[in-house]
Amino acid sequence: MPKSNPVFQPLAPLAQAAGLEINRFAELQTFVQVAQLGSFSAAARARDVSPSAVSKIVARLEARLGVQLLRRSTRRLELTAEGEQLLESGKQLLTDWMALESSITQQGQPTGVVRINASSTTGQRLLVPLVSRLMETWPGLQLDLSFTDQVVDLIAARADIALRWGQLPSSDVVARRLGRTRQVIVASPAYLARRGTPQHPDDLAQHVRIGWNYPRAVPHWPFVVDGQKRAVSMGDILRVNDGEAMCALALAGAGLARLSLYHAWDDLHAGRLKGVLEDFNCGDLEPIHAVYVGKPGQLPTRTRAVLDFLQQHVDLSHAEIWPAALQGR
């Protein structure tokens, strides 16, 4: 008889001694392995239990079914007709069960749909550039991307992962921090030529602030003045609910905007935007997290693969420090 069967390799050993309640599936596992290995002692060694425990498990199975499955002699075991029938059907049942487990837990290469939610700006500027590489790394994945500046409920939106900026409130979600970015105040050269460049936070009363229209939006901008952190009010306020719209308005000369450095990076380097009041910047670093619902150890392989990829490839180190190349611009 064959020595082993791969069906049993991933299964945990039976640690229950005879006399403890054994489920029917465990009984079937034990019987099939005894039949394939040809003895109770061989099956016991494979399962790291005593031969008497294996013998009692098989005896319990026979008693419950009301038939003899094995003929025992001093030299060998022989299957009865009922034992042969149970062995063939049992092997197929165990194989089907392992296939079902594998399809649910997605062992090996991650496959299936992963739904990711992000703000419009984050989705387009941070996530989209990584999508091609992610799909090449895990070709079995399908991505469903939703970009909105409204904070969605992950369960209601059926999202597996959401990318969120800022400090997270207490909730049922679990978070992985992907990076941080400095906040900068910017304006177009045309706006500064028309309205003047503010030299002190008090000058902002004469300028247009482009802000957020969310209920949770902060109504002031923070600065450090004379060594003290201070919230400074603005003059006229233009409100939007979309990061790309805020950047576009700043580029169009509509006013001053407080953006993340990663968001404004390309436009600052190209000279389309200029940083202002950097001497008073309080240096706040805003974190970005990948959040999800569920226990870290019980995530589907597909979700865990995307989280690991994002944590490895999202690089915001350049956006934490005001670059020397922009000094004086």
Side-chain angles (χ1 to χ4, degrees), residues 125-165:
R125 294 183 179 246
L126 188 150
L127 185 58
V128 167
L130 296 176
V131 165
S132 177
R133 189 172 180 181
L134 173 57
M135 299 296 285
E136 289 178 3
T137 303
W138 300 119
L141 290 181
Q142 302 172 48
L143 298 183
D144 186 330
L145 309 179
S146 296
F147 299 156
T148 173
D149 282 291
Q150 301 300 318
V151 177
V152 302
D153 181 281
L154 270 70
I155 296 177
R158 299 178 63 225
D160 299 296
I161 300 169
L163 304 183
R164 291 181 178 168
W165 287 98

Side-chain angles (χ1 to χ4, degrees), residues 24-250:
R24 295 184 180 187
F25 193 74
E27 288 179 342
L28 180 59
Q29 290 173 345
T30 303
F31 165 75
V32 171
Q33 196 155 28
V34 168
Q36 290 187 318
L37 296 179
S39 72
F40 290 109
S41 59
R45 285 193 299 270
R47 293 209 165 280
D48 195 25
V49 295
S50 68
S52 63
V54 172
S55 178
K56 289 178 181 179
I57 290 170
V58 174
R60 175 179 296 174
L61 175 61
E62 290 179 319
R64 186 167 56 79
L65 296 177
V67 296
Q68 186 177 3
L69 300 172
L70 298 166
R71 294 191 185 94
R72 302 159 179 83
S73 69
T74 55
R75 292 187 176 183
R76 59 181 297 178
L77 293 177
E78 291 185 353
L79 291 170
T80 65
E82 291 79 8
E84 292 279 4
Q85 180 182 357
L86 182 60
L87 176 61
E88 292 306 312
S89 297
K91 287 192 298 183
Q92 186 61 53
L93 178 61
L94 292 174
T95 300
D96 291 345
W97 177 256
M98 291 301 297
L100 176 60
E101 279 193 336
S102 179
S103 68
I104 291 174
T105 60
Q106 298 175 352
Q107 297 173 358
Q109 295 291 313
T111 60
V113 179
V114 179
R115 297 177 174 85
I116 306 176
N117 176 272
S119 69
S120 298
T121 300
T122 303
Q124 294 173 30
R125 294 183 179 246
L126 188 150
L127 185 58
V128 167
L130 296 176
V131 165
S132 177
R133 189 172 180 181
L134 173 57
M135 299 296 285
E136 289 178 3
T137 303
W138 300 119
L141 290 181
Q142 302 172 48
L143 298 183
D144 186 330
L145 309 179
S146 296
F147 299 156
T148 173
D149 282 291
Q150 301 300 318
V151 177
V152 302
D153 181 281
L154 270 70
I155 296 177
R158 299 178 63 225
D160 299 296
I161 300 169
L163 304 183
R164 291 181 178 168
W165 287 98
Q167 300 299 325
L168 298 173
S170 298
S171 67
D172 293 331
V173 300
V174 185
R176 287 198 197 183
R177 197 176 80 178
L178 304 180
R180 301 181 302 176
T181 182
R182 198 167 186 266
Q183 300 296 296
V184 294
I185 297 175
V186 298
S188 71
Y191 175 86
L192 296 176
R194 186 173 73 252
R195 300 289 293 263
T197 300
Q199 302 299 315
H200 189 279
D202 289 341
D203 297 339
L204 293 177
Q206 309 302 317
H207 287 268
V208 177
R209 171 197 177 206
I210 307 173
W212 300 106
N213 61 10
Y214 301 140
R216 57 184 168 82
V218 178
H220 305 93
W221 283 348
F223 295 94
V224 173
V225 179
D226 297 328
Q228 300 293 319
K229 195 167 183 178
R230 182 172 139 196
V232 177
S233 300
M234 293 288 292
D236 295 330
I237 297 177
L238 175 62
R239 296 185 178 92
V240 296
N241 69 344
D242 178 86
E244 288 300 302
M246 179 177 288
C247 188
L249 286 167

